[in-house]
Amino acid sequence: MADDVFKALADPTRRTILDELSERNGQTLFEICARLTTRHGLGLSRQAISQHLAVLEAAGLVRTRREGRYKFHDLNTEPLEQIATRWLRRDPPPEAP
Amino acid sequence: MISIHVTSVFVDDQEKALDFYTDKLGFEKKTDIPMGEARWLTVVSPAARDGVELLLEPDAHPVARQYKEGLVADGIPATSFAVDDIHAEHERLTGLGVEFTQPPTAMGPVTTAVLDDTCGNLIQLTQLPRA
């Protein structure tokens, strides 16, 4: 699980996708493509972006939901919490030196 | 000299489409000619009654439906219309019960929004930069 998260975060395009989803949850593939192109100058194919989303979804960082005929993508920050608790919010040692 | 006089969207029901494109979006009916089972049914913008007509074309061909479903699943609009004030239009149309898959969002120099035309299509609204 953790390996998937780090691998997913290692790519700048995938981090940009997370940036955009953190601005607004519930985006269609079209909206994600439009944001990457118009705001970040990333001229990626729809297929390439779809593959990035699949990596993010496998790592649990993006969740998809179907509403009627649409498919929306949501950011899921839970896997990042595990990183935070591992290094940033460690329990204090039992006895201070 | 060549020019565009008509463009089209595939609709699942012409009468329903006419209601949506006139009553909700604000176009006006221009031509309505019976053509066998269907109609040659077009609407125009009240701002350009002699301008480009939008043909509300039946999607009876099975491939047309497949095409529409494929686009909608990925959130891709069938076409795009220009509006002067996209935030005002979004508010007005939402008030009329129109569903948006994307609220007004700045996309580089333009601001776009995407709505469901209830006839099997997503439609993009675009506010162009002021000239």
Side-chain angles (χ1 to χ4, degrees), chain B residues 8-61:
Chain B
S8 66
V9 285
F10 283 120
V11 298
D12 57 6
D13 180 315
Q14 286 188 300
E15 195 54 42
K16 184 178 71 174
L18 183 61
D19 287 347
F20 184 87
Y21 280 78
T22 56
D23 294 347
K24 300 273 167 80
L25 291 187
F27 290 109
E28 290 177 358
K29 184 161 86 170
K30 171 109 182 200
T31 53
D32 187 355
I33 303 163
M35 304 257 293
E37 287 179 358
R39 298 144 73 180
W40 181 265
L41 180 62
T42 72
V43 296
V44 288
S45 164
R49 291 190 172 92
D50 295 321
V52 180
E53 296 174 45
L54 179 70
L55 177 66
L56 304 175
E57 187 169 9
D59 67 0
H61 194 290

Side-chain angles (χ1 to χ4, degrees), chain B residues 43-92:
Chain B
V43 296
V44 288
S45 164
R49 291 190 172 92
D50 295 321
V52 180
E53 296 174 45
L54 179 70
L55 177 66
L56 304 175
E57 187 169 9
D59 67 0
H61 194 290
V63 172
R65 290 193 184 150
Q66 227 176 354
Y67 156 83
K68 289 168 68 182
E69 282 162 15
L71 292 185
V72 168
D74 283 339
I76 302 170
T79 189
S80 180
F81 302 131
V83 292
D84 293 329
D85 181 341
I86 198 160
H87 294 280
E89 277 299 306
H90 175 253
E91 199 176 334
R92 182 185 75 81

Side-chain angles (χ1 to χ4, degrees), chain A residues 4-91:
Chain A
D4 286 349
V5 172
F6 293 120
K7 186 185 150 212
L9 293 172
D11 182 272
T13 299
R14 289 198 284 271
R15 293 197 296 272
T16 305
I17 292 173
L18 297 182
D19 289 340
E20 291 299 325
L21 285 175
S22 74
E23 190 187 292
R24 192 178 90 79
N25 252 331
Q27 296 182 34
T28 62
L29 176 59
F30 173 78
E31 179 172 350
I32 294 167
C33 292
R35 283 170 177 255
L36 293 183
T37 307
T38 62
R39 298 176 162 198
H40 303 279
L42 294 170
L44 293 160
S45 70
R46 184 169 294 114
Q47 289 86 343
I49 293 168
S50 216
Q51 280 166 11
H52 282 308
L53 284 168
V55 173
L56 289 167
E57 197 175 355
L61 291 163
V62 165
R63 284 185 179 154
T64 57
R65 65 188 149 90
R66 289 200 173 272
E67 265 182 38
R69 297 171 302 123
Y70 323 124
K71 184 179 170 188
F72 294 114
H73 301 77
D74 296 318
L75 175 66
N76 180 43
T77 54
E78 267 170 46
L80 301 177
E81 287 293 329
Q82 293 164 15
I83 295 175
T85 51
R86 181 167 169 181
W87 286 297
L88 297 176
R89 280 191 241 120
R90 295 190 67 166
D91 291 334

